[in-house]
Amino acid sequence: MRTDIVIVGCGVAGLYCALNLPKEKSIVIVTKDEAPKSDSFLAQGGICVLRDESDYESFYEDTMKAGHYENNPESVEIMIRSSREVIGELVAFGARFEKDGEEFMYTREGAHSRPRILFHEDETGKEITSHLLEAVRGRRNITLIEHYTMVDLICRDNECHGIIGHDEEGRYSAIRADYTVLATGGIGGLFKHSTNYRHLTGDALALALKYGIKLQHIDYIQIHPTTLYTNTHGREFLISESVRGEGAVLLNSKGERFVNELLPRDVVATAIFDEMKREGSEHVWLSLAPIPTEEIKTHFPHIYQRCLEEGYDVTREPIPVVPSQHYFMGGIDVDRYSKTTMERLYAAGETACNGVHGRNRLASNSLLESLVFAKRAAQHMTEGYSAVEDRDEIVIDESQYANYKEEYQKAVLAAIEKEKQSHE
């Protein structure tokens, strides 16, 4: 297959990148599973936005402080300054955010000094991503291929000319392209406890390691403080940080508060781990008692319903919660245009690292960061677009990919461990 641009992944980064490319360009998006099974659909809390100019300094400081001041200041500024424009475009695509009359309603989460988060119930990610997906399906120049797994890059002289992958039946093929965008999401599938879909296993990172594409901070892995504790195996159900932002409190087995719930995520998660160790317990408790019942049912309807299904009525009793792997702050090193160290190769979303998040992501910055820098990738490709000549015939040796899943996952985990040790 031959296309102008191939995008690997169909979360908000992949979809928004495609929608910001010229309609006369042929675009192919491939995704490992069904299109709705991206972590972008799972984002509950909301999306940050610069409310007005008076909010800039505090928004900037909140992001830097949460990231332990290891953030890239230029990237943080770009993200914040671009936020109003992105929100306007999302609304134009049909995304609905809660309003009080004609004005947006804003909520607050941990480590935010003031409310600046737009939301749609407790399914903001689904609200945004579903409308972007609908728009992509309506574009004649965009082809979306589900159940297609990338296993390799087509490279020549440090240039990327597309990908090699296979479909659900294991049939291998090559997709040649002038430009390639990696938007493959996080790495939760590498961990026993994670809020991520299990098929997100860091495939793009493995290929970056294979071809010497620069990575950055790959040991910066965020643990979300509150996921619903359960004995069943699989993806953990996240209890949005906005629940704590609206007043929910963390309790130990004696019903005592032991931490300020609005501190940055890594601080709260560490406090929970410490309390669990002190008590010898497998979880702590989250009480929504300070939140009015009607607000719980309207602001957090899906969390309310899921907890009911697990046997807990959050309007009457606390729920057991435990920290789980949640977000990947590191990734493939990119510049302010989402360009990697390999020519014609871009990366955006959770699989990329432009330095916005530093050591620890500020709540609800993920959707915004992904959208802002996916659009910048599209703009950069468009402005400097040039085609490549397909000179070489591509012969796929399927035998070299016989054990790629295990090999790639081992390579990524080993690289993370090596990076972690270098910082100790």
Side-chain angles (χ1 to χ4, degrees):
M1 181 186 294
R2 183 69 170 84
T3 189
D4 293 325
I5 299 132
V6 60
I7 299 172
V8 188
C10 69
V12 292
L15 297 173
Y16 200 56
C17 181
L19 291 168
N20 277 281
L21 288 164
K23 293 183 179 180
E24 62 268 21
K25 295 298 181 186
S26 172
I27 302 163
V28 171
I29 303 175
V30 301
T31 182
K32 209 174 184 181
D33 207 294
E34 297 172 1
K37 288 189 176 179
S38 73
D39 273 5
S40 296
F41 268 85
L42 303 178
Q44 293 177 348
I47 179 170
C48 292
V49 63
L50 179 65
R51 294 183 61 166
D52 51 47
E53 190 59 34
S54 68
D55 185 38
Y56 178 81
E57 291 298 331
S58 61
F59 191 171
Y60 179 88
E61 176 62 18
D62 289 347
T63 300
M64 296 294 289
K65 184 177 181 180
H68 297 265
Y69 298 97
E70 294 187 27
N71 324 57
N72 180 329
E74 181 186 26
S75 295
V76 175
E77 180 178 8
I78 288 170
M79 180 190 72
I80 295 173
R81 293 295 185 192
S82 304
S83 62
R84 298 300 304 189
E85 179 183 19
V86 165
I87 295 301
E89 292 177 357
L90 292 179
V91 170
F93 279 121
R96 299 160 297 169
F97 301 109
E98 301 299 327
K99 288 186 174 183
D100 181 6
E102 294 299 314
E103 300 298 320
F104 285 131
M105 291 178 62
Y106 299 90
T107 189
R108 179 186 176 197
E109 298 185 13
H112 284 271
S113 57
R114 63 178 294 192
R116 63 168 66 89
I117 300 167
L118 298 177
F119 63 96
H120 177 85
E121 297 179 345
D122 54 358
E123 288 191 317
T124 309
K126 180 179 179 181
E127 176 66 15
I128 293 171
T129 316
S130 61
H131 282 94
L132 295 180
L133 180 58
E134 181 181 8
V136 160
R137 291 190 187 279
R139 291 277 179 95
R140 296 180 64 181
N141 65 312
I142 303 175
T143 301
L144 175 60
I145 304 174
E146 297 175 297
H147 300 288
Y148 188 94
T149 301
M150 173 185 67
V151 300
D152 211 345
L153 301 176
I154 302 171
C155 302
R156 185 177 69 219
D157 301 328
N158 197 45
E159 279 194 350
C160 185
H161 297 168
I163 66 169
I164 293 173
H166 66 77
D167 63 15
E168 196 172 16
E169 304 300 322
R171 294 182 291 253
Y172 282 80
S173 62
I175 302 177
R176 292 181 182 265
D178 296 328
Y179 295 91
T180 301
V181 181
L182 301 176
T184 54
I187 58 174
L190 301 175
F191 296 82
K192 181 179 179 181
H193 296 289
S194 175
T195 62
N196 296 182
Y197 278 113
R198 303 308 301 168
H199 62 271
L200 302 179
T201 51
D203 299 355
L205 301 181
L207 294 179
L209 289 167
K210 179 177 180 178
Y211 290 105
I213 299 165
K214 186 180 178 183
L215 301 177
Q216 182 180 180
H217 300 317
I218 59 171
D219 60 329
Y220 286 5
I221 299 167
Q222 187 175 75
I223 306 298
H224 197 287
T226 52
T227 63
L228 187 63
Y229 175 78
T230 176
N231 289 318
T232 60
H233 179 70
R235 180 175 64 81
E236 269 75 1
F237 181 73
L238 184 145
I239 306 299
S240 171
E241 188 157 349
S242 58
V243 173
R244 286 178 279 126
E246 294 298 323
V249 294
L250 287 162
L251 308 172
N252 61 21
S253 61
K254 297 177 182 178
E256 303 166 334
R257 287 182 70 187
F258 57 89
V259 66
N260 175 356
E261 292 82 5
L262 295 181
L263 289 170
R265 288 178 176 178
D266 56 339
V267 178
V268 177
T270 298
I272 293 174
F273 281 129
D274 289 345
E275 193 69 14
M276 288 166 55
K277 183 178 180 180
R278 189 179 68 82
E279 293 195 324
S281 61
E282 294 186 340
H283 60 78
V284 295
W285 298 91
L286 182 68
S287 171
L288 280 68
I291 308 175
T293 296
E294 189 58 33
E295 184 178 346
I296 291 174
K297 292 182 177 181
T298 55
H299 192 161
F300 308 111
H302 301 93
I303 292 175
Y304 170 70
Q305 185 58 41
R306 177 59 181 270
C307 289
L308 279 180
E309 293 169 2
E310 294 288 334
Y312 302 99
D313 184 345
V314 297
T315 67
R316 298 175 180 272
E317 60 190 331
I319 55 175
V321 293
V322 65
S324 293
Q325 187 279 335
H326 179 56
Y327 196 81
F328 184 45
M329 280 82 63
I332 299 174
D333 184 76
V334 295
D335 64 14
R336 63 185 185 275
Y337 301 110
S338 297
K339 185 178 176 300
T340 73
T341 56
M342 177 173 279
E343 296 301 316
R344 299 182 177 273
L345 180 66
Y346 292 76
E350 195 171 349
T351 200
C353 182
N354 51 48
V356 159
H357 305 304
R359 181 181 286 271
N360 177 58
R361 176 174 66 86
L362 180 67
S364 289
N365 264 349
S366 54
L367 290 171
L368 177 61
E369 179 266 322
S370 295
L371 292 161
V372 167
F373 287 91
K375 180 176 180 177
R376 289 177 70 83
Q379 292 173 329
H380 195 255
M381 281 183 278
T382 302
E383 291 168 3
Y385 200 95
S386 64
V388 294
E389 181 184 352
D390 297 333
R391 295 182 298 180
D392 305 320
E393 180 183 358
I394 298 173
V395 179
I396 301 173
D397 178 9
E398 296 183 17
S399 64
Q400 68 173 304
Y401 305 120
N403 300 308
Y404 78 87
K405 292 180 182 178
E406 295 82 1
E407 292 172 358
Y408 287 0
Q409 291 179 29
K410 284 181 180 178
V412 173
L413 287 170
I416 291 172
E417 185 61 30
K418 182 178 179 181
E419 186 79 4
K420 187 184 301 182
Q421 291 177 359
S422 70
H423 289 151
E424 292 177 352

